[in-house]
Amino acid sequence: MYAITIREPGDPDVLEWAEVADPRPGPGEVLLEVAASAVNRADLLQRQGQYPPPPGASETLGLECSGTIAELGEGVEGWTVGDEVCALLSGGGYAEKAVVPAGQLLPVPGEIDLLTAAALPEVACTVWANVVMHAKLTEGEVLLVHGGAGGIGTHAIQVGKALGATVAVTAGSPERLESCRQLGADITIDYKEQDFVEVLKKETGGANVILDNMGAAYLGRNVDALQQDGRLVIIGMQGGVKGELNVGALLGKRASVFAAGLRFRPLDQKAAIVGDVRDRLWPLVAEGLVKPIVGQVVPMAEAASAHRIMEEGSVFGKVLLAAKS
């Protein structure tokens, strides 16, 4: 088969479409004929040599994909060859074939086509695990989403609205903020021109839940923006890894700070998240209340171009890699 390989850590030009050995499914795994994968910021870090995959995971980039089951490993039940699925991966999506633990498979929901389904697994599992399963966002609460125009952000807006929350977002241009409003965002904040803490306090008194992709750079201001009993969930480090935390402010608000990734979780935890997504989120997708937002589709062999697009930061939603033209 062909897959994207990394010649050496570096800029997008180090990505090459090359022939590699076919993967084989082990016990409890399935082999997929990949239809599409999607580009995530973790892929950019891995390409640069800054985010190696977990032990035993594929060295190939790609944290999600969609495709058709081609082979079942020993002991796999509930799936058959020919099923159209999408999947959460620890690696391996940028390829014509991928091996997936059966517990990380999801059926393609509703009327979503197979290629577009590749935009769902990573954002769905990330947002649902953090905003719903951990932070327990409920109807009537305020959710602040940083990076509202990205893959995670566009999904989180819709999940928040489907659950009955007031959703506030930050983004970096009027055009991107308008696109967030069209998805349902109630409060839009231009982080280049406005202080999100001031805007949020004026509009709602603060956030009950904050989904943050910035990390250190926003740590103190995020705590300031929380209401009493607020929950700050950190899922990214675009703004650095070391910040100062005012414990007194946390104590005064009875607030909590939680940081969690998805890729390095044990298989049983991933399977539990995928199961909850299938049970509670997939019906919302099937009803059209939550939709995959695809900004651009690029041939998988041209993954370098897709990485440049991601680094430019101009796409609204996800960038997909189509395995077959």
Side-chain angles (χ1 to χ4, degrees):
M1 72 168 188
Y2 278 81
I4 290 293
T5 61
I6 303 173
R7 186 172 64 250
E8 59 186 5
D11 63 24
D13 290 333
V14 303
L15 300 179
E16 298 178 339
W17 187 239
E19 193 166 6
V20 300
D22 285 15
R24 302 295 305 165
E29 297 177 332
V30 304
L31 177 68
L32 298 185
E33 293 279 356
V34 174
S37 186
V39 181
N40 290 279
R41 292 207 169 270
D43 301 335
L44 277 57
L45 293 174
Q46 184 175 337
R47 187 202 75 222
Q48 295 163 1
Q50 300 177 27
Y51 190 41
S58 171
E59 295 286 336
T60 301
L61 297 171
L63 300 181
E64 58 192 333
C65 72
S66 60
T68 304
I69 295 178
E71 185 179 344
L72 303 177
E74 180 184 348
V76 173
E77 299 179 350
W79 301 98
T80 60
V81 172
D83 285 346
E84 293 190 343
V85 298
C86 52
L88 181 69
L89 307 172
S90 295
Y94 289 24
E96 292 180 320
K97 298 178 182 180
V99 166
V100 188
Q104 292 167 215
L105 291 173
L106 287 157
V108 174
E111 300 300 317
I112 305 298
D113 65 81
L114 184 59
L115 186 144
T116 303
L120 283 170
E122 177 73 13
V123 295
C125 291
T126 297
V127 171
W128 196 260
N130 288 288
V131 172
V132 180
M133 296 175 71
H134 179 81
K136 302 189 184 305
L137 179 73
T138 58
E139 183 178 359
E141 290 194 316
V142 178
L143 169 66
L144 170 61
V145 180
H146 289 301
I152 293 287
T154 54
H155 188 82
I157 291 169
Q158 298 177 83
V159 169
K161 293 306 297 178
L163 296 177
T166 296
V167 178
V169 301
T170 62
S173 73
E175 295 78 18
R176 292 167 79 76
L177 290 170
E178 175 57 31
S179 295
C180 291
R181 280 190 286 272
Q182 292 177 11
L183 276 184
D186 302 287
I187 302 166
T188 56
I189 304 164
D190 186 334
Y191 66 80
K192 296 179 180 178
E193 304 291 338
Q194 298 171 284
D195 183 336
F196 70 82
V197 180
E198 291 181 1
V199 173
L200 205 58
K201 286 185 174 180
K202 178 181 178 181
E203 296 289 339
T204 68
N208 301 101
V209 176
I210 299 177
L211 185 64
D212 175 58
N213 61 351
M214 292 299 293
Y218 278 11
L219 183 57
R221 294 166 68 202
N222 277 332
V223 172
D224 289 345
L226 288 172
Q227 294 190 31
Q228 294 291 314
D229 300 302
R231 291 87 75 194
L232 167 60
V233 182
I234 301 171
I235 59 168
M237 303 175 290
Q238 293 182 41
V241 298
K242 293 184 179 180
E244 187 171 298
L245 181 63
N246 185 335
V247 176
L250 278 181
L251 287 169
K253 294 184 175 184
R254 300 183 301 276
S256 62
V257 178
F258 176 72
L262 189 59
R263 190 180 194 184
F264 284 81
R265 288 178 183 260
L267 291 180
D268 61 339
Q269 290 188 20
K270 289 182 182 178
I273 292 168
V274 168
D276 209 56
V277 163
R278 181 172 183 172
D279 290 344
R280 297 202 285 159
L281 174 58
W282 250 218
L284 301 177
V285 178
E287 293 172 26
L289 297 175
V290 178
K291 301 176 182 178
I293 305 299
V294 177
Q296 196 159 343
V297 180
V298 177
M300 189 174 287
E302 300 173 20
S305 174
H307 276 222
R308 292 189 196 96
I309 291 167
M310 278 287 288
E311 290 175 341
E312 290 167 2
S314 58
V315 170
F316 185 78
K318 299 279 284 189
V319 178
L320 296 189
L321 298 171
K324 302 199 182 292
S325 57

